């Protein structure tokens, strides 16, 4: 059974930084693609970043490229999303998800591709 647990959300001021972590077993993190998605009230869930360690590819949505970084944290056995220069429009519920493929990973929030999902964690960017 694949379990994904997000942590690290909260309230941050515009321009600030936050680190989200997605905890899972080492085998899942290293063999599945792991993606980060977000959803705001009244909006569709959208892909933010994804990384497939086994295949080596990662992708970012244009809205976060250059501000967010997805990385495998081996010390804590997590897939982290480092978010910098945060903007109010980054406010959303953030979810991590795991996929067995296809590779390279896809940023579409399609449950036929992303088999497992975490419960989500709130990120609020506000002064």
């Amino acid at each position: 059974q694949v379990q994904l647990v997000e942590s690290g959300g909260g309230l941050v001021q515009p321009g600030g930084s936050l680190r989200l972590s997605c905890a899972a077993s080492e085998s899942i993190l290293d063999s599945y693609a792991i993606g980060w998605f977000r959803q705001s009230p009244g909006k569709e869930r959208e892909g933010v970043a994804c990384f497939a360690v086994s295949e080596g590819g990662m992708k970012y949505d244009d809205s976060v490229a250059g501000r967010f970084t997805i990385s495998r944290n081996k010390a804590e056995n997590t897939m982290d999303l480092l978010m910098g220069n945060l903007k109010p429009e980054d406010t959303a519920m953030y979810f991590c998800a795991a996929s067995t493929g296809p590779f390279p990973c896809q940023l579409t929030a399609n449950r036929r591709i992303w088999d497992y999902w975490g419960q989500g964690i709130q990120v609020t960017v506000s002064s």
Side-chain angles (χ1 to χ4, degrees):
Q1 187 175 357
V2 177
Q3 287 190 314
L4 305 171
V5 181
E6 302 95 339
S7 63
L11 173 65
V12 62
Q13 292 188 341
S17 300
L18 209 57
R19 184 184 76 160
L20 302 183
S21 295
C22 177
S25 69
E26 183 177 6
S27 62
I28 296 299
L29 293 173
D30 289 339
S31 61
Y32 284 50
I34 303 296
W36 281 98
F37 298 81
R38 65 186 181 187
Q39 189 169 19
S40 304
K43 292 189 176 182
E44 302 246 332
R45 191 169 296 188
E46 61 179 6
V48 174
C50 64
F51 183 23
V53 172
S54 59
E55 182 258 349
M58 60 179 66
K59 287 185 180 178
Y60 296 93
D61 185 75
D62 288 345
S63 65
V64 305
R67 299 189 298 124
F68 290 12
T69 302
I70 188 169
S71 66
R72 174 74 168 94
N73 185 333
K74 285 195 171 288
E76 298 185 12
N77 224 26
T78 57
M79 186 70 78
D80 293 348
L81 185 67
L82 307 174
M83 305 187 294
N85 191 21
L86 283 160
K87 304 175 181 181
E89 51 264 42
D90 294 317
T91 295
M93 186 74 79
Y94 283 72
F95 301 86
C96 68
S99 169
T100 55
F103 298 142
C105 57
Q106 308 288 317
L107 285 179
T108 176
N110 187 332
R111 288 183 180 267
R112 288 178 295 179
I113 295 174
W114 296 96
D115 306 281
Y116 306 97
W117 292 82
Q119 292 299 305
I121 194 159
Q122 180 67 35
V123 172
T124 302
V125 184
S126 175
S127 54

